[in-house]
Amino acid sequence: MVKKKKDLPAEERILDAAKKVFLEKGMAGARMQDIANEAGINKALLHYYYRDKEKLFELVFMSESQKFFPKINRIFESDETLEKKFHEFVEEYVNELRLNPYLPWFVLNEINRDPDGFLLKIMTGENRPRPMKFLQQIEKEIKLGNIRKVDPRHILLNLLSMTLFPFIAQPMVSRILGMGNKEFEQLMEERKKTVPAVMMDSIRKKVQ
Amino acid sequence: MVKKKKDLPAEERILDAAKKVFLEKGMAGARMQDIANEAGINKALLHYYYRDKEKLFELVFMSESQKFFPKINRIFESDETLEKKFHEFVEEYVNELRLNPYLPWFVLNEINRDPDGFLLKIMTGENRPRPMKFLQQIEKEIKLGNIRKVDPRHILLNLLSMTLFPFIAQPMVSRILGMGNKEFEQLMEERKKTVPAVMMDSIRKKVQ
DNA sequence: GTCTATAATTTGATAGAC
DNA sequence: GTCTATCAAATTATAGAC
């Protein structure tokens, strides 16, 4: 018999609820009452376990940003070819973000709110994004004459942009293109192929 | 003698201040006191001129989203070639967002907060995004055999992504790549060339 | 540990003098 | 029109019973 959500201890239920509410509404928009309702307990217990809103938020933010960033490093610091890395990157992020579509919005949102607070913590931790090896790999391929001469930073930006932006802009995109949830998911599934293809076309040497 | 900010009537100073504060912090994070301070007056005047926070916010949001969206339509509904449209799009948005870097974050943020409120208003107004002509133009070029066969929606997504995302993610991007403001602006300037180039490479027929 | 009730704080909004 | 002082409402946080 698998445990139901209701059977989890309150401490965990609260954390799960906090994740959900903070991810959707951000620090400023979230209400302690919403979290209590979502967890099926009352506000007092929130403070009993996690002292105050700030502490609870910090816990959620740190845990979620760790989900968001280390993925980048594992892929970018491997010894695979660029093409393989493009595919892995899009594949993994689309899969993660299908389950957790608010994640990039949440992370960017709070970094924007307080660039020198959490961002600094993340950037000094073990799990900070380390794109250097990836950028150097591109430069090496250029020197070897295997790919076109382009600023590696634009390559990185393009990959991040095309993968993450659609999720950040989902409500707008869906409305503009007149899509439902199913269609949006289908479109994101397709991006596992189209994005790496665009990336490769942008670095592959042109036929003379 | 050019008018200084301080010389503007209070009503306008308030609106300017509200734009600044709402754009940076969003509806939930903004404080009426912040706006009053920014405008150099007291809270009571805010209510005297604009009744309440909601009304003031709606005014700012409508005015800012009109800056954000109509640009798309003017470019996408013209009779230019796809290549010209790519260039114009990136050129105009990079120029606008250099002056107003919080704009896309602000718009997407509030649409995310309340997808059926403001979003609905925008989507039914004269200035709603109308990508249809652009999508049809792509389909026509495909039929004519001028470009590769690709889903037009991915083309549109790629263009929006690569142009807007770097601004949304600026604090993170700058930190990751170790850039200051000047370097970031320089990089965005370069995107006026690199992004259209990537777009063209992604649709141009491959040489056999 | 968990609850109800309540205090404390923050923030939006108004009253009234000038 | 603009200000100070104040109120009202929303929200976070705590006290104390069980």
Side-chain angles (χ1 to χ4, degrees):
Chain A
M1 181 68 180
V2 177
K3 268 193 179 180
K4 283 182 201 169
K5 234 184 178 178
K6 295 262 170 163
D7 299 329
L8 287 174
E11 190 168 3
E12 291 180 41
R13 290 220 311 280
I14 291 172
L15 203 58
D16 286 347
K19 279 180 190 172
K20 182 173 175 190
V21 174
F22 279 133
L23 275 162
E24 270 185 45
K25 312 208 170 168
M27 169 67 177
R31 295 287 159 256
M32 294 297 264
Q33 187 63 58
D34 297 339
I35 298 175
N37 293 342
E38 181 70 31
I41 47 90
N42 59 35
K43 279 189 300 178
L45 263 202
L46 299 183
H47 293 94
Y48 175 77
Y49 283 112
Y50 299 97
R51 195 191 252 339
D52 61 24
K53 188 183 177 183
E54 190 69 30
K55 295 256 191 321
L56 183 53
F57 176 80
E58 190 165 331
L59 217 60
V60 170
F61 182 81
M62 283 304 165
S63 127
E64 291 301 303
S65 65
Q66 303 302 16
K67 270 190 213 167
F68 187 65
F69 290 117
K71 234 183 259 298
I72 304 181
N73 292 334
R74 193 172 43 70
I75 297 170
F76 281 179
E77 296 191 328
S78 79
D79 290 318
E80 294 292 345
T81 62
L82 286 177
E83 182 164 19
K84 192 79 184 295
K85 286 184 181 180
F86 294 153
H87 275 100
E88 280 190 5
F89 182 88
V90 183
E91 172 84 25
E92 292 214 18
Y93 273 93
V94 168
N95 287 343
E96 170 73 34
L97 298 182
R98 185 172 29 212
L99 303 174
N100 212 351
Y102 285 111
L103 189 52
W105 179 82
F106 172 75
V107 172
L108 293 174
N109 215 16
E110 301 306 331
I111 285 177
N112 176 70
R113 185 175 69 97
D114 179 18
D116 295 322
F118 292 119
L119 188 54
L120 212 66
K121 268 196 185 175
I122 292 169
M123 287 307 171
T124 53
E126 167 61 21
N127 285 319
R128 72 179 182 284
R130 297 183 299 272
M132 280 314 148
K133 180 163 179 178
F134 179 68
L135 297 176
Q136 285 161 4
Q137 180 177 12
I138 295 173
E139 272 167 11
K140 191 177 151 196
E141 294 289 336
I142 293 173
K143 277 221 178 71
L144 289 172
N146 294 333
I147 65 173
R148 230 179 289 172
K149 184 168 167 13
V150 276
D151 186 332
R153 296 175 302 175
H154 286 289
I155 309 270
L156 178 60
L157 263 186
N158 293 343
L159 182 60
L160 291 171
S161 298
M162 288 191 285
T163 308
L164 302 180
F165 179 84
F167 288 94
I168 296 174
Q170 166 166 13
M172 192 186 70
V173 166
S174 290
R175 262 284 164 65
I176 290 180
L177 295 177
M179 293 184 301
N181 269 357
K182 276 275 167 284
E183 281 166 294
F184 181 81
E185 283 206 12
Q186 173 60 27
L187 199 67
M188 291 307 103
E189 198 58 31
E190 287 168 25
R191 287 188 84 69
K192 292 179 181 176
K193 291 197 165 184
T194 61
V195 171
V198 172
M199 293 301 299
M200 286 309 291
D201 286 335
S202 76
I203 62 172
R204 192 180 287 119
K205 283 205 161 181
K206 289 175 186 171
V207 183
Q208 300 299 334
Chain B
M1 180 70 181
V2 178
K3 267 193 181 181
K4 284 182 197 169
K5 233 183 179 179
K6 295 263 170 162
D7 299 328
L8 287 174
E11 190 169 2
E12 291 179 42
R13 291 221 309 280
I14 292 172
L15 203 59
D16 286 347
K19 277 180 191 173
K20 182 172 175 191
V21 174
F22 278 133
L23 275 163
E24 269 185 46
K25 311 205 170 172
M27 169 67 177
R31 296 287 159 257
M32 295 297 266
Q33 187 63 58
D34 298 338
I35 298 175
N37 292 343
E38 181 70 31
I41 47 90
N42 58 37
K43 277 190 301 178
L45 264 203
L46 299 183
H47 293 94
Y48 175 76
Y49 282 112
Y50 299 97
R51 193 188 271 323
D52 62 24
K53 189 182 177 185
E54 189 70 30
K55 295 258 190 320
L56 183 53
F57 176 80
E58 191 165 329
L59 217 58
V60 170
F61 183 82
M62 283 304 169
S63 128
E64 292 301 303
S65 64
Q66 304 301 18
K67 271 189 212 168
F68 188 64
F69 289 116
K71 234 181 256 302
I72 304 181
N73 292 335
R74 192 171 44 69
I75 297 171
F76 282 180
E77 296 191 328
S78 79
D79 289 319
E80 295 292 345
T81 61
L82 286 177
E83 182 164 18
K84 192 80 185 295
K85 287 184 180 180
F86 294 153
H87 275 100
E88 280 191 4
F89 182 87
V90 183
E91 172 85 25
E92 292 216 16
Y93 273 93
V94 168
N95 286 344
E96 169 73 34
L97 298 182
R98 184 171 31 211
L99 303 174
N100 211 352
Y102 285 110
L103 188 53
W105 179 83
F106 172 75
V107 172
L108 292 174
N109 215 16
E110 301 306 332
I111 285 177
N112 176 69
R113 185 175 69 95
D114 178 18
D116 295 323
F118 292 116
L119 187 54
L120 213 64
K121 268 197 185 173
I122 292 170
M123 289 306 172
T124 52
E126 167 61 21
N127 285 319
R128 73 177 184 285
R130 297 183 299 271
M132 279 314 148
K133 180 162 178 178
F134 180 68
L135 297 175
Q136 285 161 4
Q137 180 178 12
I138 295 173
E139 270 168 12
K140 191 177 151 199
E141 295 289 338
I142 293 173
K143 277 220 179 72
L144 289 172
N146 294 333
I147 65 172
R148 230 179 289 171
K149 184 168 166 15
V150 276
D151 186 332
R153 296 175 302 175
H154 286 288
I155 310 270
L156 178 61
L157 264 185
N158 292 344
L159 182 61
L160 292 170
S161 298
M162 288 191 285
T163 307
L164 302 180
F165 178 84
F167 289 95
I168 297 175
Q170 166 166 14
M172 191 185 71
V173 166
S174 290
R175 263 285 164 65
I176 290 181
L177 295 177
M179 295 184 300
N181 269 359
K182 275 277 167 285
E183 282 167 292
F184 181 81
E185 283 205 12
Q186 173 60 26
L187 199 67
M188 291 306 103
E189 198 59 32
E190 288 168 25
R191 287 188 83 68
K192 291 179 180 176
K193 292 197 165 183
T194 61
V195 171
V198 172
M199 293 300 300
M200 287 308 292
D201 286 336
S202 76
I203 62 171
R204 191 180 288 120
K205 284 204 160 182
K206 289 174 185 172
V207 184
Q208 300 300 334

